[in-house]
Amino acid sequence: MKGVILAGGTGTRLYPLTKLMNKHLLPIGKHPMIHYAIDKLKEAEITDILLITGKQSAGLYTDYLGSGKDWGVSLNFKIQDEAGGIAQALSLAESYISREEKFVMILGDNLFEDNLKPYVERFKQQPNGAMVLLKKVPDPKRYGVPLIHGGKIVKIDEKPEKPLSNFCVTGIYMYDGGVFDVIRTVQPSQRGELEITDVNNAYAVNDLLSFSVLEGWWSDAGTFESLHEAQNVLSRGRERG
């Protein structure tokens, strides 16, 4: 399987730290944030990786990561010219993923403890469709919240005022090669972006969206509070939270 890391976005919630630097290059513990997504894919024996980022920091990524040789992986790069949503960024991977392939996509600001390999192996056994990884959180209204019925995700509500569960959809996704056809059916949201929640709901409505729940610590490191929490956890080398 191949891996895709999305490391674009404007990082407005972390401004002014992100005025000159992409948030995924901010230091967390001993490394830039992007280090951990690459490390987690490699841990799951996924070494063929596409990194998608914006124009602003593309040169910094290539200077830091190079071909990926020093990391034990093979890295390719794609540029998202302008913010168009996670699904639009993912669409840039279509030339990298064959229609017959399954792959893992990680949002680069996701920091977590679990080894992805067991989840990847489970997804390999799934004939087709998609899988999302969930995590129980104290503030689900910040995220996409799954409505689960009969052990299946019926739909995902994006940032609901009254969440129907305490679980959130993390930024760790697995898809079959048909996801690019699904993206083409998605309409822009009120923000003018192609939302990954709409893609996932298209799978859910056809009973093709499975899920697993992360057991260990997880953070999206997208706010000053979560960035600080991730910094403390990884600086101390704590394993669980």
Side-chain angles (χ1 to χ4, degrees):
M1 287 178 67
K2 292 178 179 176
V4 176
I5 300 173
L6 300 192
T10 56
T12 53
R13 292 180 296 171
L14 290 172
Y15 192 86
L17 291 181
T18 51
K19 183 175 182 180
L20 294 176
M21 182 179 292
N22 181 287
K23 72 175 177 180
H24 306 89
L25 290 170
L26 294 174
I28 302 286
K30 297 179 180 179
H31 305 283
M33 192 186 300
I34 194 65
H35 170 100
Y36 299 98
I38 295 172
D39 190 55
K40 283 298 181 181
L41 288 174
K42 183 182 176 184
E43 185 180 45
E45 300 180 5
I46 296 171
T47 57
D48 200 345
I49 300 169
L50 176 68
L51 192 149
I52 299 173
T53 188
K55 293 183 290 185
Q56 180 188 24
S57 298
L60 293 175
Y61 278 109
T62 55
D63 285 345
Y64 177 62
L65 298 171
S67 68
K69 180 180 178 181
D70 293 342
W71 305 71
V73 299
S74 176
L75 285 175
N76 291 275
F77 298 86
K78 284 267 190 176
I79 304 300
Q80 185 182 22
D81 289 320
E82 56 187 9
I86 293 172
Q88 190 275 331
L90 175 57
S91 71
L92 299 177
E94 185 169 10
S95 61
Y96 180 74
I97 305 290
S98 75
R99 190 170 184 84
E100 294 74 29
E101 285 184 298
K102 294 178 178 179
F103 66 98
V104 179
M105 180 179 78
I106 300 179
L107 304 189
D109 58 359
N110 274 239
L111 302 167
F112 54 96
E113 172 196 357
D114 290 51
N115 186 327
L116 290 179
K117 189 170 177 58
Y119 307 111
V120 169
E121 291 302 319
R122 178 182 169 190
F123 184 57
K124 284 181 179 178
Q125 302 305 311
Q126 185 173 321
N128 53 16
M131 176 188 286
V132 293
L133 298 189
L134 310 180
K135 181 64 181 176
K136 197 170 186 178
V137 293
D139 52 350
K141 65 172 60 178
R142 282 183 52 206
Y143 307 98
V145 177
L147 173 60
I148 301 171
H149 181 72
K152 297 181 179 180
I153 294 179
V154 178
K155 69 172 183 174
I156 299 168
D157 289 328
E158 186 64 23
K159 298 182 175 64
E161 278 300 314
K162 296 181 179 180
L164 296 175
S165 78
N166 291 323
F167 288 96
C168 78
V169 177
T170 71
I172 309 166
Y173 314 89
M174 302 180 200
Y175 295 108
D176 61 16
V179 69
F180 304 107
D181 291 334
V182 175
I183 292 173
R184 280 188 277 273
T185 70
V186 171
Q187 298 299 312
S189 66
Q190 291 182 345
R191 300 191 300 172
E193 298 185 352
L194 299 183
E195 307 290 350
I196 199 66
T197 293
D198 292 336
V199 173
N200 292 331
N201 278 333
Y203 277 103
V205 76
N206 289 301
D207 199 20
L208 291 173
L209 181 64
S210 65
F211 70 92
S212 291
V213 180
L214 291 174
E215 298 179 359
W217 175 84
W218 169 84
S219 174
D220 70 344
T223 66
F224 283 106
E225 292 77 16
S226 57
L227 186 70
H228 180 68
E229 178 189 8
Q231 185 74 258
N232 287 339
V233 170
L234 294 172
S235 294
R236 294 197 306 267
R238 193 179 80 188
E239 287 297 322
R240 283 196 173 272

